Amino acid sequence: MRVALVLLGFMACNTPVVHDADKAAKPADPLVLSDVSAQISALVPTVAHVSWSSSGPGKAFVEYGLDGSFGQISPTTEGATEVRQVLLGLKAGRSYSWRAVMLDDDGDRVQSEPQTLQIAAPPPGLPHFEIAVDDTEQQRAGGFFLMNVMTLGESSVAAIIDRDGDLVWWFEGLADRQIMSVDLGRDGESVRWLWTNYVDRSQDGGGIARLGIDGMSLTETEATRGHHHFQELADGQLAWLCWSATTDVEVEGETLPLVWDRVCESGAPVFDFLVDWETPWYT
């Protein structure tokens, strides 16, 4: 009887035990990237959209740079297996190398084969800009400059240049739509501009456009007879300078067309410079 008890105890002590740590030590399969591609925005020729699929989640980003380098990194996204990255600030007319990169939970890295993006040249006739700094202490490193370039009767451009004076974002308007003023949207993710037919003021056309900086969506709000300047208000409404309707007036026996300025908001005049403004001789 004693022998049986000893044998049972011996068998119990030699039963193999699998610990959780042993399970965790088993290496995970490395991530696999597939369907890696890049597309240039149809609206903004200097914006690229890179996408790929991954066999598992991880930290995802794109390494890219000019002429074979990979010194720039896109913002990191986490947790997705269908990844989409946006590359901004690409210089017009230049060639970029890029590759998709993911890091798994252990920090192990997997990357795609390097590929090349050729960015379109600037629109014809657009000048190259040079940045002159008068006060280096006030200089903001890495800053950008938002502007519009307009030639009457020709297409106009809403554009962003970088610290090197290189064009890194632009939208080219139609020949009969002069971009008069441009500003960043209050959402921090878009560029807005006011366009008008400056050559033919008899037309009532005019609008305020909104284009996402990522080049994905373009929307437009009617701004009848708008010109020169607009403002996106804190409540999301839009205000702009607008011409009045043409009125014939008699000046020294001659009939002349008179047009004056108003401030319009959401399509209706809210201030009339001829009616509401008390000029100095009234005071």
Side-chain angles (χ1 to χ4, degrees), residues 208-245:
I208 298 173
R210 178 196 178 278
L211 176 55
I213 292 178
D214 62 5
M216 289 291 291
S217 61
L218 174 64
T219 58
E220 192 168 288
T221 301
E222 183 179 355
T224 304
R225 302 191 186 96
H227 71 95
H228 281 92
H229 191 62
F230 75 99
Q231 184 69 46
E232 182 181 3
L233 306 178
D235 61 0
Q237 299 294 317
L238 297 170
W240 63 90
L241 286 176
C242 58
W243 286 302
S244 68

mmCIF file of all heavy atoms in Angstrom, residues 208-245:
data_model
loop_
_atom_site.group_PDB
_atom_site.id
_atom_site.type_symbol
_atom_site.label_atom_id
_atom_site.label_comp_id
_atom_site.label_asym_id
_atom_site.label_seq_id
_atom_site.Cartn_x
_atom_site.Cartn_y
_atom_site.Cartn_z
ATOM 1 N N ILE A 208 -17.372 81.282 -53.193
ATOM 2 C CA ILE A 208 -16.331 81.031 -52.196
ATOM 3 C C ILE A 208 -16.122 79.519 -52.153
ATOM 4 O O ILE A 208 -17.052 78.761 -51.865
ATOM 5 C CB ILE A 208 -16.716 81.567 -50.811
ATOM 6 C CG1 ILE A 208 -16.892 83.094 -50.881
ATOM 7 C CG2 ILE A 208 -15.654 81.198 -49.770
ATOM 8 C CD1 ILE A 208 -17.438 83.706 -49.601
ATOM 9 N N ALA A 209 -14.938 79.098 -52.501
ATOM 10 C CA ALA A 209 -14.626 77.673 -52.585
ATOM 11 C C ALA A 209 -13.927 77.207 -51.320
ATOM 12 O O ALA A 209 -13.245 77.983 -50.642
ATOM 13 C CB ALA A 209 -13.748 77.395 -53.802
ATOM 14 N N ARG A 210 -14.100 75.927 -51.015
ATOM 15 C CA ARG A 210 -13.378 75.281 -49.922
ATOM 16 C C ARG A 210 -12.770 73.990 -50.450
ATOM 17 O O ARG A 210 -13.475 73.127 -50.967
ATOM 18 C CB ARG A 210 -14.297 74.946 -48.749
ATOM 19 C CG ARG A 210 -13.579 74.224 -47.609
ATOM 20 C CD ARG A 210 -14.539 73.557 -46.643
ATOM 21 N NE ARG A 210 -13.828 72.846 -45.590
ATOM 22 C CZ ARG A 210 -13.304 71.620 -45.698
ATOM 23 N NH1 ARG A 210 -13.406 70.963 -46.847
ATOM 24 N NH2 ARG A 210 -12.682 71.058 -44.682
ATOM 25 N N LEU A 211 -11.450 73.889 -50.334
ATOM 26 C CA LEU A 211 -10.736 72.695 -50.788
ATOM 27 C C LEU A 211 -9.918 72.148 -49.633
ATOM 28 O O LEU A 211 -9.116 72.874 -49.033
ATOM 29 C CB LEU A 211 -9.825 73.039 -51.971
ATOM 30 C CG LEU A 211 -8.931 71.925 -52.512
ATOM 31 C CD1 LEU A 211 -9.735 70.694 -52.902
ATOM 32 C CD2 LEU A 211 -8.119 72.434 -53.702
ATOM 33 N N GLY A 212 -10.126 70.877 -49.292
ATOM 34 C CA GLY A 212 -9.337 70.254 -48.235
ATOM 35 C C GLY A 212 -7.860 70.270 -48.585
ATOM 36 O O GLY A 212 -7.482 70.061 -49.740
ATOM 37 N N ILE A 213 -7.018 70.531 -47.607
ATOM 38 C CA ILE A 213 -5.578 70.538 -47.849
ATOM 39 C C ILE A 213 -5.120 69.177 -48.364
ATOM 40 O O ILE A 213 -4.148 69.085 -49.125
ATOM 41 C CB ILE A 213 -4.829 70.933 -46.558
ATOM 42 C CG1 ILE A 213 -5.120 72.409 -46.228
ATOM 43 C CG2 ILE A 213 -3.328 70.739 -46.704
ATOM 44 C CD1 ILE A 213 -4.483 72.897 -44.948
ATOM 45 N N ASP A 214 -5.843 68.120 -47.992
ATOM 46 C CA ASP A 214 -5.497 66.788 -48.479
ATOM 47 C C ASP A 214 -5.931 66.553 -49.922
ATOM 48 O O ASP A 214 -5.705 65.475 -50.474
ATOM 49 C CB ASP A 214 -6.089 65.715 -47.571
ATOM 50 C CG ASP A 214 -7.623 65.753 -47.517
ATOM 51 O OD1 ASP A 214 -8.241 66.554 -48.250
ATOM 52 O OD2 ASP A 214 -8.196 64.971 -46.732
ATOM 53 N N GLY A 215 -6.571 67.563 -50.551
ATOM 54 C CA GLY A 215 -6.958 67.449 -51.959
ATOM 55 C C GLY A 215 -8.088 66.491 -52.220
ATOM 56 O O GLY A 215 -8.272 66.047 -53.360
ATOM 57 N N MET A 216 -8.892 66.191 -51.196
ATOM 58 C CA MET A 216 -9.935 65.180 -51.353
ATOM 59 C C MET A 216 -11.272 65.756 -51.819
ATOM 60 O O MET A 216 -11.975 65.138 -52.611
ATOM 61 C CB MET A 216 -10.138 64.437 -50.031
ATOM 62 C CG MET A 216 -8.987 63.512 -49.661
ATOM 63 S SD MET A 216 -8.886 62.086 -50.757
ATOM 64 C CE MET A 216 -10.360 61.192 -50.263
ATOM 65 N N SER A 217 -11.653 66.927 -51.319
ATOM 66 C CA SER A 217 -13.002 67.418 -51.598
ATOM 67 C C SER A 217 -12.986 68.916 -51.878
ATOM 68 O O SER A 217 -12.300 69.684 -51.201
ATOM 69 C CB SER A 217 -13.940 67.118 -50.418
ATOM 70 O OG SER A 217 -13.485 67.774 -49.244
ATOM 71 N N LEU A 218 -13.770 69.314 -52.885
ATOM 72 C CA LEU A 218 -13.920 70.715 -53.267
ATOM 73 C C LEU A 218 -15.405 71.052 -53.242
ATOM 74 O O LEU A 218 -16.212 70.419 -53.913
ATOM 75 C CB LEU A 218 -13.351 70.952 -54.663
ATOM 76 C CG LEU A 218 -13.563 72.351 -55.268
ATOM 77 C CD1 LEU A 218 -12.843 73.411 -54.438
ATOM 78 C CD2 LEU A 218 -13.092 72.378 -56.715
ATOM 79 N N THR A 219 -15.769 72.041 -52.428
ATOM 80 C CA THR A 219 -17.149 72.511 -52.364
ATOM 81 C C THR A 219 -17.177 74.002 -52.628
ATOM 82 O O THR A 219 -16.157 74.692 -52.519
ATOM 83 C CB THR A 219 -17.788 72.210 -51.000
ATOM 84 O OG1 THR A 219 -17.005 72.834 -49.960
ATOM 85 C CG2 THR A 219 -17.845 70.718 -50.737
ATOM 86 N N GLU A 220 -18.350 74.514 -52.956
ATOM 87 C CA GLU A 220 -18.455 75.923 -53.323
ATOM 88 C C GLU A 220 -19.756 76.519 -52.811
ATOM 89 O O GLU A 220 -20.804 75.865 -52.839
ATOM 90 C CB GLU A 220 -18.382 76.068 -54.840
ATOM 91 C CG GLU A 220 -18.189 77.487 -55.318
ATOM 92 C CD GLU A 220 -17.829 77.533 -56.785
ATOM 93 O OE1 GLU A 220 -16.687 77.164 -57.117
ATOM 94 O OE2 GLU A 220 -18.703 77.913 -57.594
ATOM 95 N N THR A 221 -19.674 77.744 -52.314
ATOM 96 C CA THR A 221 -20.834 78.508 -51.863
ATOM 97 C C THR A 221 -21.011 79.703 -52.785
ATOM 98 O O THR A 221 -20.045 80.419 -53.062
ATOM 99 C CB THR A 221 -20.639 78.998 -50.414
ATOM 100 O OG1 THR A 221 -20.436 77.865 -49.560
ATOM 101 C CG2 THR A 221 -21.838 79.790 -49.943
ATOM 102 N N GLU A 222 -22.221 79.925 -53.248
ATOM 103 C CA GLU A 222 -22.473 81.061 -54.133
ATOM 104 C C GLU A 222 -22.215 82.366 -53.395
ATOM 105 O O GLU A 222 -22.661 82.561 -52.256
ATOM 106 C CB GLU A 222 -23.908 81.022 -54.642
ATOM 107 C CG GLU A 222 -24.241 82.129 -55.627
ATOM 108 C CD GLU A 222 -25.654 82.063 -56.146
ATOM 109 O OE1 GLU A 222 -26.362 81.086 -55.809
ATOM 110 O OE2 GLU A 222 -26.070 82.977 -56.882
ATOM 111 N N ALA A 223 -21.495 83.261 -54.032
ATOM 112 C CA ALA A 223 -21.221 84.597 -53.480
ATOM 113 C C ALA A 223 -21.474 85.604 -54.599
ATOM 114 O O ALA A 223 -20.546 86.102 -55.233
ATOM 115 C CB ALA A 223 -19.797 84.703 -52.956
ATOM 116 N N THR A 224 -22.743 85.897 -54.845
ATOM 117 C CA THR A 224 -23.145 86.725 -55.974
ATOM 118 C C THR A 224 -22.466 88.083 -55.931
ATOM 119 O O THR A 224 -22.481 88.761 -54.910
ATOM 120 C CB THR A 224 -24.674 86.899 -55.973
ATOM 121 O OG1 THR A 224 -25.280 85.599 -55.995
ATOM 122 C CG2 THR A 224 -25.132 87.690 -57.181
ATOM 123 N N ARG A 225 -21.855 88.445 -57.054
ATOM 124 C CA ARG A 225 -21.147 89.731 -57.229
ATOM 125 C C ARG A 225 -20.010 89.918 -56.220
ATOM 126 O O ARG A 225 -19.571 91.041 -55.955
ATOM 127 C CB ARG A 225 -22.116 90.911 -57.136
ATOM 128 C CG ARG A 225 -23.256 90.887 -58.141
ATOM 129 C CD ARG A 225 -23.992 92.219 -58.161
ATOM 130 N NE ARG A 225 -25.167 92.152 -59.017
ATOM 131 C CZ ARG A 225 -26.399 91.907 -58.584
ATOM 132 N NH1 ARG A 225 -26.595 91.726 -57.288
ATOM 133 N NH2 ARG A 225 -27.403 91.862 -59.405
ATOM 134 N N GLY A 226 -19.516 88.843 -55.647
ATOM 135 C CA GLY A 226 -18.428 88.957 -54.687
ATOM 136 C C GLY A 226 -17.138 89.409 -55.353
ATOM 137 O O GLY A 226 -16.881 89.134 -56.530
ATOM 138 N N HIS A 227 -16.303 90.090 -54.601
ATOM 139 C CA HIS A 227 -15.010 90.535 -55.134
ATOM 140 C C HIS A 227 -14.041 90.835 -53.997
ATOM 141 O O HIS A 227 -14.430 91.191 -52.888
ATOM 142 C CB HIS A 227 -15.169 91.766 -56.041
ATOM 143 C CG HIS A 227 -15.527 93.015 -55.298
ATOM 144 N ND1 HIS A 227 -14.590 93.930 -54.881
ATOM 145 C CD2 HIS A 227 -16.728 93.500 -54.890
ATOM 146 C CE1 HIS A 227 -15.179 94.934 -54.267
ATOM 147 N NE2 HIS A 227 -16.480 94.710 -54.249
ATOM 148 N N HIS A 228 -12.785 90.662 -54.275
ATOM 149 C CA HIS A 228 -11.640 91.072 -53.464
ATOM 150 C C HIS A 228 -11.496 90.379 -52.109
ATOM 151 O O HIS A 228 -10.413 89.887 -51.814
ATOM 152 C CB HIS A 228 -11.628 92.596 -53.261
ATOM 153 C CG HIS A 228 -11.112 93.320 -54.445
ATOM 154 N ND1 HIS A 228 -11.949 93.774 -55.452
ATOM 155 C CD2 HIS A 228 -9.861 93.639 -54.825
ATOM 156 C CE1 HIS A 228 -11.222 94.354 -56.401
ATOM 157 N NE2 HIS A 228 -9.954 94.279 -56.053
ATOM 158 N N HIS A 229 -12.501 90.350 -51.271
ATOM 159 C CA HIS A 229 -12.237 89.831 -49.930
ATOM 160 C C HIS A 229 -13.475 89.153 -49.360
ATOM 161 O O HIS A 229 -14.613 89.507 -49.678
ATOM 162 C CB HIS A 229 -11.807 90.958 -48.987
ATOM 163 C CG HIS A 229 -11.269 90.454 -47.680
ATOM 164 N ND1 HIS A 229 -10.145 89.669 -47.566
ATOM 165 C CD2 HIS A 229 -11.741 90.579 -46.402
ATOM 166 C CE1 HIS A 229 -9.922 89.356 -46.301
ATOM 167 N NE2 HIS A 229 -10.878 89.887 -45.579
ATOM 168 N N PHE A 230 -13.203 88.165 -48.485
ATOM 169 C CA PHE A 230 -14.263 87.450 -47.778
ATOM 170 C C PHE A 230 -13.766 87.117 -46.383
ATOM 171 O O PHE A 230 -12.580 87.252 -46.065
ATOM 172 C CB PHE A 230 -14.639 86.158 -48.524
ATOM 173 C CG PHE A 230 -13.628 85.067 -48.353
ATOM 174 C CD1 PHE A 230 -13.823 84.053 -47.427
ATOM 175 C CD2 PHE A 230 -12.450 85.058 -49.099
ATOM 176 C CE1 PHE A 230 -12.881 83.059 -47.258
ATOM 177 C CE2 PHE A 230 -11.507 84.056 -48.940
ATOM 178 C CZ PHE A 230 -11.714 83.056 -48.013
ATOM 179 N N GLN A 231 -14.677 86.653 -45.543
ATOM 180 C CA GLN A 231 -14.317 86.260 -44.178
ATOM 181 C C GLN A 231 -15.197 85.092 -43.749
ATOM 182 O O GLN A 231 -16.424 85.141 -43.915
ATOM 183 C CB GLN A 231 -14.501 87.427 -43.209
ATOM 184 C CG GLN A 231 -14.052 87.147 -41.783
ATOM 185 C CD GLN A 231 -12.537 87.012 -41.671
ATOM 186 O OE1 GLN A 231 -11.806 87.829 -42.212
ATOM 187 N NE2 GLN A 231 -12.077 85.992 -40.980
ATOM 188 N N GLU A 232 -14.563 84.055 -43.222
ATOM 189 C CA GLU A 232 -15.320 82.974 -42.602
ATOM 190 C C GLU A 232 -15.537 83.350 -41.141
ATOM 191 O O GLU A 232 -14.588 83.523 -40.380
ATOM 192 C CB GLU A 232 -14.562 81.654 -42.707
ATOM 193 C CG GLU A 232 -15.325 80.484 -42.126
ATOM 194 C CD GLU A 232 -14.561 79.174 -42.215
ATOM 195 O OE1 GLU A 232 -13.392 79.177 -42.692
ATOM 196 O OE2 GLU A 232 -15.118 78.142 -41.797
ATOM 197 N N LEU A 233 -16.792 83.492 -40.746
ATOM 198 C CA LEU A 233 -17.127 83.958 -39.415
ATOM 199 C C LEU A 233 -17.074 82.815 -38.407
ATOM 200 O O LEU A 233 -17.051 81.633 -38.761
ATOM 201 C CB LEU A 233 -18.518 84.599 -39.421
ATOM 202 C CG LEU A 233 -18.713 85.716 -40.462
ATOM 203 C CD1 LEU A 233 -20.144 86.237 -40.413
ATOM 204 C CD2 LEU A 233 -17.720 86.840 -40.245
ATOM 205 N N ALA A 234 -17.067 83.196 -37.114
ATOM 206 C CA ALA A 234 -16.920 82.193 -36.056
ATOM 207 C C ALA A 234 -18.063 81.191 -36.045
ATOM 208 O O ALA A 234 -17.881 80.034 -35.649
ATOM 209 C CB ALA A 234 -16.821 82.894 -34.698
ATOM 210 N N ASP A 235 -19.258 81.606 -36.492
ATOM 211 C CA ASP A 235 -20.406 80.696 -36.500
ATOM 212 C C ASP A 235 -20.493 79.870 -37.774
ATOM 213 O O ASP A 235 -21.465 79.149 -37.998
ATOM 214 C CB ASP A 235 -21.707 81.475 -36.298
ATOM 215 C CG ASP A 235 -21.970 82.499 -37.407
ATOM 216 O OD1 ASP A 235 -21.134 82.604 -38.335
ATOM 217 O OD2 ASP A 235 -23.003 83.194 -37.342
ATOM 218 N N GLY A 236 -19.473 79.989 -38.639
ATOM 219 C CA GLY A 236 -19.453 79.211 -39.867
ATOM 220 C C GLY A 236 -20.051 79.914 -41.065
ATOM 221 O O GLY A 236 -19.927 79.442 -42.198
ATOM 222 N N GLN A 237 -20.719 81.049 -40.835
ATOM 223 C CA GLN A 237 -21.276 81.811 -41.947
ATOM 224 C C GLN A 237 -20.154 82.499 -42.724
ATOM 225 O O GLN A 237 -19.037 82.685 -42.216
ATOM 226 C CB GLN A 237 -22.271 82.856 -41.438
ATOM 227 C CG GLN A 237 -23.471 82.267 -40.712
ATOM 228 C CD GLN A 237 -24.348 81.445 -41.635
ATOM 229 O OE1 GLN A 237 -24.624 81.839 -42.766
ATOM 230 N NE2 GLN A 237 -24.776 80.285 -41.157
ATOM 231 N N LEU A 238 -20.447 82.901 -43.959
ATOM 232 C CA LEU A 238 -19.483 83.579 -44.808
ATOM 233 C C LEU A 238 -19.950 84.995 -45.104
ATOM 234 O O LEU A 238 -21.132 85.235 -45.340
ATOM 235 C CB LEU A 238 -19.304 82.810 -46.124
ATOM 236 C CG LEU A 238 -18.727 81.395 -45.992
ATOM 237 C CD1 LEU A 238 -18.825 80.670 -47.330
ATOM 238 C CD2 LEU A 238 -17.282 81.448 -45.522
ATOM 239 N N ALA A 239 -19.011 85.924 -45.074
ATOM 240 C CA ALA A 239 -19.288 87.311 -45.430
ATOM 241 C C ALA A 239 -18.292 87.729 -46.504
ATOM 242 O O ALA A 239 -17.163 87.259 -46.527
ATOM 243 C CB ALA A 239 -19.179 88.226 -44.205
ATOM 244 N N TRP A 240 -18.728 88.616 -47.419
ATOM 245 C CA TRP A 240 -17.848 89.036 -48.504
ATOM 246 C C TRP A 240 -18.247 90.413 -49.020
ATOM 247 O O TRP A 240 -19.373 90.868 -48.828
ATOM 248 C CB TRP A 240 -17.885 88.023 -49.647
ATOM 249 C CG TRP A 240 -19.220 87.851 -50.324
ATOM 250 C CD1 TRP A 240 -19.695 88.540 -51.403
ATOM 251 C CD2 TRP A 240 -20.254 86.941 -49.945
ATOM 252 N NE1 TRP A 240 -20.960 88.113 -51.728
ATOM 253 C CE2 TRP A 240 -21.305 87.123 -50.859
ATOM 254 C CE3 TRP A 240 -20.385 85.979 -48.942
ATOM 255 C CZ2 TRP A 240 -22.494 86.382 -50.784
ATOM 256 C CZ3 TRP A 240 -21.563 85.257 -48.859
ATOM 257 C CH2 TRP A 240 -22.594 85.453 -49.776
ATOM 258 N N LEU A 241 -17.274 91.082 -49.631
ATOM 259 C CA LEU A 241 -17.574 92.324 -50.336
ATOM 260 C C LEU A 241 -18.300 91.997 -51.629
ATOM 261 O O LEU A 241 -17.909 91.069 -52.351
ATOM 262 C CB LEU A 241 -16.285 93.082 -50.658
ATOM 263 C CG LEU A 241 -15.575 93.799 -49.518
ATOM 264 C CD1 LEU A 241 -14.270 94.420 -50.021
ATOM 265 C CD2 LEU A 241 -16.464 94.875 -48.911
ATOM 266 N N CYS A 242 -19.348 92.740 -51.921
ATOM 267 C CA CYS A 242 -20.097 92.485 -53.145
ATOM 268 C C CYS A 242 -20.487 93.810 -53.803
ATOM 269 O O CYS A 242 -20.718 94.820 -53.133
ATOM 270 C CB CYS A 242 -21.339 91.643 -52.870
ATOM 271 S SG CYS A 242 -22.488 92.352 -51.673
ATOM 272 N N TRP A 243 -20.518 93.783 -55.134
ATOM 273 C CA TRP A 243 -20.977 94.957 -55.857
ATOM 274 C C TRP A 243 -22.498 95.063 -55.768
ATOM 275 O O TRP A 243 -23.206 94.048 -55.747
ATOM 276 C CB TRP A 243 -20.577 94.867 -57.329
ATOM 277 C CG TRP A 243 -19.136 95.092 -57.590
ATOM 278 C CD1 TRP A 243 -18.413 96.190 -57.277
ATOM 279 C CD2 TRP A 243 -18.231 94.178 -58.221
ATOM 280 N NE1 TRP A 243 -17.104 96.034 -57.676
ATOM 281 C CE2 TRP A 243 -16.964 94.812 -58.253
ATOM 282 C CE3 TRP A 243 -18.358 92.892 -58.761
ATOM 283 C CZ2 TRP A 243 -15.849 94.204 -58.809
ATOM 284 C CZ3 TRP A 243 -17.242 92.287 -59.314
ATOM 285 C CH2 TRP A 243 -16.001 92.940 -59.330
ATOM 286 N N SER A 244 -22.977 96.298 -55.767
ATOM 287 C CA SER A 244 -24.414 96.516 -55.895
ATOM 288 C C SER A 244 -24.821 96.264 -57.343
ATOM 289 O O SER A 244 -23.975 96.121 -58.231
ATOM 290 C CB SER A 244 -24.753 97.952 -55.518
ATOM 291 O OG SER A 244 -24.207 98.848 -56.494
ATOM 292 N N ALA A 245 -26.111 96.229 -57.582
ATOM 293 C CA ALA A 245 -26.593 96.208 -58.958
ATOM 294 C C ALA A 245 -26.275 97.562 -59.603
ATOM 295 O O ALA A 245 -26.216 98.601 -58.932
ATOM 296 C CB ALA A 245 -28.089 95.941 -58.987
#
